[in-house]
Amino acid sequence: MHLAYPAVLAALLFCTGLYGVLARRNAILVLMSVELMLNAVNLNLVAFDVWLRDALHSGQALTLFTIAIAAAEIGIGLAIVLAVYRNRGSSDIDRLRDTAETDEAETLPGDADADDATHGTADQATATAGKAKKAEATA
């Protein structure tokens, strides 16, 4: 068997997975695309192991490690997606950017003293009030 056949198939699988990672907005579909990319790597490892006729079968051994890592990745990834879905009601990747916290102090609407404050205690009070408001919004 020629090495070109599985190599081309693996390249097509990898490109399909890469397209899925870059184009999809659903987190579960992105995880499936990552799995497709890992399977393309596994196909290459086994194909090169057969082609080189390695006595130790190191390509197959690396494939087993990759499968174990992929299983752990999908378990943790699905747990994160389910937790986000419970809190947000959607697994849309664009909405996950809202979960990032910033270090900047947030000002409350109608708080005129926060704009003119130059002292550290006023900034800390504004930051504490902003964090409390954010905690109320997420709860």
Side-chain angles (χ1 to χ4, degrees):
M1 182 171 79
H2 294 287
L3 183 62
Y5 298 134
V8 168
L9 179 62
L12 289 174
L13 283 174
F14 192 85
C15 289
T16 305
L18 185 64
Y19 172 75
V21 167
L22 296 176
R24 300 293 179 184
R25 296 293 172 228
N26 190 350
I28 294 177
L29 292 178
V30 170
L31 286 173
M32 288 175 60
S33 298
V34 169
E35 290 294 321
L36 195 61
M37 292 167 63
L38 286 172
N39 285 330
V41 170
N42 288 340
L43 181 60
N44 266 334
L45 285 171
V46 172
F48 276 97
D49 182 49
V50 170
W51 185 64
L52 292 174
R53 296 186 180 124
D54 188 15
L56 295 176
H57 299 290
S58 56
Q60 293 178 17
L62 285 174
T63 299
L64 290 176
F65 284 118
T66 307
I67 290 171
I69 289 171
E73 175 258 334
I74 202 70
I76 292 171
L78 281 176
I80 291 171
V81 168
L82 287 175
V84 167
Y85 184 78
R86 284 182 191 162
N87 289 335
R88 298 275 178 183
S90 173
S91 61
D92 189 18
I93 292 178
D94 290 333
R95 292 187 63 192
L96 290 179
R97 293 185 185 142
D98 297 337
T99 60
E101 293 185 22
T102 59
D103 292 336
E104 300 173 3
E106 296 181 13
T107 59
L108 294 174
D111 190 9
D113 293 339
D115 294 333
D116 299 330
T118 57
H119 295 75
T121 56
D123 289 339
Q124 289 174 355
T126 304
T128 306
K131 288 180 184 177
K133 183 178 177 184
K134 186 184 286 186
E136 289 175 4
T138 58

